[in-house]
Amino acid sequence: MGELVEVHSSPATRRPGLETLVIAGPPLQLNCPSMTPSPLLDSVPQTPKSPFVTRLMTPVASPMKKAIVSMQGYLEEVGHFTKLDPQETWLPITESRNGNAYYSAFHTLSSGIGFQALVLPLAFTTLGWVWGIICLSLAFIWQLYTLWLLVQLHESESGKRYSRYLRLSMAAFGEKLGKLLALFPIMYLSGGTCVTLIMIGGGTMKIFFQIVCGNTCSLKPLSVVEWYVVFTCLAIILAQLPNLNSIAGVSLVGAITAISYCSLIWIVSIIHGTPEGVSYDPPEAKSEMARLFNIFNSLGIITFAFRGHNLVLEIQGTIPSSGKHPSRLPMWRGVKFAYLIVATCLFPLAIGGYWVYGNLMAENGEMLSALYKYHKRDTSKLLLGLASLLVVINSLTSFQIYAMPVFDNLEFRYTSKWKRPCPQWLRTGIRVFFGSLAFFISVALPFLPSLAGLIGGIALPITLAYPCLMWVIIKKPQKFSLNWCLNCLLGVLGMVLSVLVTTGAIWGIVTKGIKIHFFKPQ
């Protein structure tokens, strides 16, 4: 990155009619916001009053003055002298900076809504109607506010752009502490989500094949591991798109499929009505402590539904920025549109899913499984197959945007050491390696989704706490002002909630247990 370049004029030696232009400071990376207009006009040589000198200077002064005036117009548009950091142009996230509000909306939707939304009705089984809706609404407002903070923090007052969450964390908390606090949650949310997507996408492929082929099919069905291989190969092929901007169309497809299957599942479920034995009474707990930890676990499910904050800065990093048109404006327009759509998907899914299945959600875990179990016979194969296909396509597209920070980090290691961009063969090898590693983990640790509550609690500060604390540290609002108090309160509350959710997940694992089976995906 770089620091701001200042352009100013200062007298060199006090001779009449002579001024020197001084350029000081190291260059800044391209597309940084404007801080002050260029003062170049202040240093334009004054035309002497003598007619002789005027005639003598005109052939030189006129072209020079036109050039300086033209340069001032450029500087007012771009903001100030900038110089591109070569490493930024070599990395997948910042390789292309021609994004816009539409691209930001596509990426935000693709990363902000997905399979985790199907688990929301499960949280209502413990919280009930009133508290479930209240907690879901508060979590939505809270995470939308912290998302706004991240959009504002992307560009610092010095002109530096933080196009990666880890870099912003290091700038706020210090290099060592910032890495310690943010590195594991960010890598889990990226790599762990890709592993989970292989499990969900491969498993749903198997269900889709069974629905389409039926019992009379003569083809030999593939095993779960073989479906994982099919999904991983498709994901690796799609991952060869070079940078984050190049997958905007992929994210659009992912957003459309996510909206479609979320809407389709809750609408079909409501049309068919509640199955027999539905109850809305909270499940009995062995003790008050167990009931309390069940509540914490439900809060963790709600907060985990609003994922994607670890990608906000990366998405904004693909948008060009200038003094008159800072990147935060199109980014926020795209985010507002995206989260309006997210709200229209998540709230009906959570409320409608709980109304249809009630406490039966505890036996199934998520909405798609409940739909297959209770409405498989009275729902057409076309709708069931369409829902499965949409889930598979969405898993493939979501894999791309969540894998991009991992690709960027691996290429960053190479470019930092060798001071040159990754050759195409190495970039392809990195993506094949990551896809193969994610596949291996999905086969070796098939119980990993059972730990989602635990690791989700650890990653929760990325969404709810860190943005508030980073705002206080970087922006330095006046102590005890409303801004300072609000962000400190939310930051501390987010950290406390993270501890409680993690504790609740550990309690659930200890009391209920999990089936640990290596290399035996089901």
Side-chain angles (χ1 to χ4, degrees):
M1 305 299 177
E3 299 297 335
L4 182 63
V5 172
E6 298 179 358
V7 181
H8 60 275
S9 63
S10 63
T13 57
R14 293 296 181 180
R15 296 181 183 177
L18 180 62
E19 291 185 345
T20 303
L21 210 61
V22 179
I23 300 178
L28 177 69
Q29 79 176 69
L30 188 61
N31 295 327
C32 294
S34 173
M35 305 308 299
T36 57
S38 170
L40 275 175
L41 284 184
D42 295 341
S43 58
V44 176
Q46 301 297 321
T47 305
K49 294 182 180 180
S50 169
F52 174 76
V53 178
T54 301
R55 288 194 298 271
L56 184 64
M57 293 293 292
T58 296
V60 178
S62 294
M64 182 65 72
K65 184 174 181 179
K66 289 180 181 179
I68 292 176
V69 170
S70 176
M71 180 61 71
Q72 189 211 20
Y74 173 77
L75 291 174
E76 288 179 350
E77 175 63 26
V78 174
H80 38 59
F81 281 122
T82 59
K83 183 178 179 181
L84 187 64
D85 181 357
Q87 192 175 14
E88 289 291 289
T89 65
W90 300 337
L91 300 176
I93 288 175
T94 50
E95 187 176 63
S96 172
R97 289 187 185 270
N98 60 353
N100 51 45
Y102 298 103
Y103 284 16
S104 72
F106 301 159
H107 290 314
T108 304
L109 269 173
S110 181
S111 62
I113 185 172
F115 67 90
Q116 79 285 354
L118 301 178
V119 191
L120 276 175
L122 182 61
F124 278 57
T125 59
T126 300
L127 299 174
W129 284 109
V130 177
W131 282 109
I133 295 174
I134 290 175
C135 292
L136 183 61
S137 302
L138 290 177
F140 180 81
I141 296 171
W142 188 352
Q143 61 85 34
L144 190 60
Y145 171 69
T146 56
L147 200 154
W148 178 83
L149 293 180
L150 289 175
V151 172
Q152 302 303 312
L153 289 171
H154 176 85
E155 294 166 330
S156 68
E157 293 180 359
S158 66
K160 190 173 183 179
R161 295 185 69 177
Y162 299 103
S163 298
R164 294 153 187 86
Y165 198 111
L166 184 60
R167 307 282 176 83
L168 180 62
S169 175
M170 292 165 61
F173 302 120
E175 185 173 353
K176 292 184 178 180
L177 183 60
K179 281 185 177 180
L180 181 64
L181 292 175
L183 185 59
F184 172 73
I186 290 173
M187 287 299 103
Y188 166 74
L189 286 174
S190 295
T193 299
C194 290
V195 172
T196 307
L197 286 170
I198 291 176
M199 296 180 183
I200 293 173
T204 310
M205 275 184 167
K206 181 180 179 181
I207 296 174
F208 176 73
F209 178 82
Q210 292 172 347
I211 293 173
V212 173
C213 196
N215 298 327
T216 59
C217 185
S218 59
L219 296 175
K220 181 182 178 182
L222 300 179
S223 65
V224 176
V225 175
E226 290 171 333
W227 283 116
Y228 285 6
V229 172
V230 173
F231 181 90
T232 304
C233 291
L234 293 175
I236 290 175
I237 293 172
L238 202 55
Q240 300 310 311
L241 292 171
N243 53 60
L244 191 55
N245 255 343
S246 66
I247 65 169
V250 175
S251 293
L252 174 60
V253 173
I256 293 173
T257 52
I259 295 168
S260 300
Y261 77 71
C262 285
S263 302
L264 179 64
I265 289 173
W266 72 261
I267 290 173
V268 171
S269 297
I270 287 179
I271 289 175
H272 289 297
T274 59
E276 296 182 2
V278 172
S279 171
Y280 304 106
D281 297 327
E284 295 183 2
K286 297 179 179 179
S287 64
E288 287 297 319
M289 185 66 70
R291 183 173 178 274
L292 186 63
F293 283 125
N294 287 338
I295 293 174
F296 293 152
N297 192 45
S298 298
L299 294 177
I301 292 173
I302 290 176
T303 53
F304 185 65
F306 300 107
R307 62 174 184 172
H309 279 54
N310 62 308
L311 295 171
V312 171
L313 297 173
E314 285 80 351
I315 295 170
Q316 191 173 350
T318 65
I319 300 176
S321 185
S322 67
K324 291 183 179 179
H325 306 286
S327 63
R328 65 178 178 272
L329 299 181
M331 180 66 188
W332 184 240
R333 285 199 299 270
V335 166
K336 286 190 294 185
F337 173 78
Y339 271 84
L340 178 64
I341 303 298
V342 169
T344 59
C345 288
L346 297 191
F347 280 85
L349 185 67
I351 297 172
Y354 181 60
W355 177 79
V356 174
Y357 301 110
N359 286 346
L360 297 177
M361 284 296 303
E363 303 174 7
N364 300 277
E366 44 90 13
M367 283 280 289
L368 189 59
S369 299
L371 177 65
Y372 286 142
K373 183 174 182 179
Y374 299 108
H375 297 299
K376 184 177 181 179
R377 294 182 179 180
D378 51 1
T379 302
S380 68
K381 286 187 175 182
L382 177 63
L383 289 178
L384 292 175
L386 179 60
S388 301
L389 181 62
L390 291 172
V391 171
V392 172
I393 296 174
N394 177 256
S395 298
L396 279 172
T397 55
S398 297
F399 185 96
Q400 308 309 313
I401 191 168
Y402 273 92
M404 199 59 72
V406 181
F407 300 155
D408 186 90
N409 188 51
L410 293 175
E411 290 191 26
F412 175 77
R413 307 296 176 187
Y414 176 87
T415 56
S416 297
K417 182 176 181 180
W418 299 103
K419 308 300 180 185
R420 62 172 183 256
C422 282
Q424 185 59 46
W425 66 267
L426 181 58
R427 171 172 282 188
T428 301
I430 286 173
R431 301 181 183 203
V432 172
F433 167 76
F434 173 74
S436 302
L437 179 63
F439 164 75
F440 175 79
I441 296 174
S442 66
V443 174
L445 308 175
F447 57 88
L448 195 62
S450 303
L451 304 176
L454 172 62
I455 308 180
I458 298 174
L460 187 146
I462 293 288
T463 301
L464 300 182
Y466 291 167
C468 301
L469 299 176
M470 291 189 293
W471 178 271
V472 172
I473 295 172
I474 294 175
K475 293 296 185 179
K476 295 180 173 59
Q478 184 179 358
K479 275 193 174 183
F480 305 111
S481 63
L482 179 61
N483 191 343
W484 187 88
C485 292
L486 175 63
N487 286 289
C488 286
L489 176 63
L490 292 178
V492 173
L493 187 59
M495 296 302 295
V496 172
L497 184 60
S498 173
V499 173
L500 295 177
V501 169
T502 304
T503 307
I506 294 173
W507 175 274
I509 293 173
V510 171
T511 56
K512 299 178 182 178
I514 58 172
K515 296 180 180 179
I516 297 179
H517 43 278
F518 297 98
F519 297 98
K520 292 182 180 180
Q522 298 176 353

